[in-house]
Amino acid sequence: MTATRWTGRWAAGWPTGALADGQLHAVAVDGKTLRGAAGPTGRKTHLLAACDHLSGLVLAQLDVGEKTNEISCFQPLLETFADLAGVVVTSDAMHTQREHASYLFGRGAH
């Protein structure tokens, strides 16, 4: 899998757990094929990204390789976060996988 990961310098200190008002931090995981972007072989670029619910900023993203899919990239994407304890992770139905739930539970995420 060819991976391109981008994490802003500020994301290293991204807070986890509860916010000051008691709400939990939330991260949305979703994939998109980039319109008009293709590699030298003509393969369209497909990215899986994790975005902060409050700010809408991309915290991490991963290039979904040609011979794989979003499901196999879910855990490697979230591995870029040092701590997921107390974070609510949302995604579309594609990621309602037993392995994903076990992974999130193991990392202390919701």
Side-chain angles (χ1 to χ4, degrees):
M1 163 178 33
T2 58
T4 304
R5 293 184 182 147
W6 173 87
T7 308
R9 178 180 218 146
W10 57 269
W14 186 73
T16 59
L19 298 169
D21 60 3
Q23 294 181 351
L24 294 175
H25 283 275
V27 171
V29 175
D30 196 18
K32 295 287 180 230
T33 300
L34 302 181
R35 181 182 289 174
T41 63
R43 181 184 83 83
K44 294 190 178 191
T45 304
H46 188 80
L47 300 175
L48 184 65
C51 300
D52 179 63
H53 270 255
L54 286 176
S55 66
L57 295 173
V58 174
L59 301 172
Q61 69 183 17
L62 181 68
D63 181 13
V64 177
E66 188 172 358
K67 297 188 185 227
T68 189
N69 60 37
E70 287 184 28
I71 294 171
S72 62
C73 294
F74 183 83
Q75 290 182 26
L77 175 72
L78 293 177
E79 283 295 319
T80 63
F81 291 86
D83 186 14
L84 284 177
V87 175
V88 176
V89 178
T90 64
S91 62
D92 56 19
M94 178 185 293
H95 297 289
T96 55
Q97 306 286 323
R98 183 169 291 151
E99 294 81 18
H100 291 357
S102 296
Y103 170 78
L104 292 171
F105 180 77
R107 297 274 320 263
H110 300 284

